[in-house]
Amino acid sequence: MTLRKNATDHEALLASAINYQEQALTLVSRTFALTIPQLPLPLRTVVTNAYLLARIADTFEDCADWDVA
């Protein structure tokens, strides 16, 4: 029973994370937010994650002159 409960908890957490990722995509992208959802699963999930990680890196690169705390 505990093993199944942990699997269910993991599945719910994963579904929540994927939902958040898809919502974030629409907030940070115009063009890719239209095309990435057309990809089949699980490719769509992986490409969305990679795109969002690249956007994070791009943000740091664009703000190279931030003060070091």
Side-chain angles (χ1 to χ4, degrees):
M1 183 71 168
T2 303
L3 190 59
R4 182 62 195 147
K5 181 181 182 306
N6 288 343
T8 303
D9 290 347
H10 176 73
E11 291 166 4
L13 183 59
L14 182 60
S16 176
I18 290 171
N19 185 46
Y20 176 80
Q21 177 175 282
E22 290 175 356
Q23 289 177 359
L25 178 65
T26 63
L27 296 174
V28 300
S29 173
R30 287 168 269 169
T31 307
F32 287 110
L34 298 174
T35 57
I36 292 174
Q38 303 304 314
L39 296 171
L41 288 173
L43 183 60
R44 176 174 58 219
T45 303
V46 174
V47 171
T48 300
N49 190 274
Y51 176 79
L52 292 172
L53 289 171
R55 285 296 308 256
I56 292 169
D58 186 53
T59 298
F60 282 121
E61 183 178 332
D62 290 346
C63 298
D65 48 331
W66 281 351
D67 291 334
V68 177

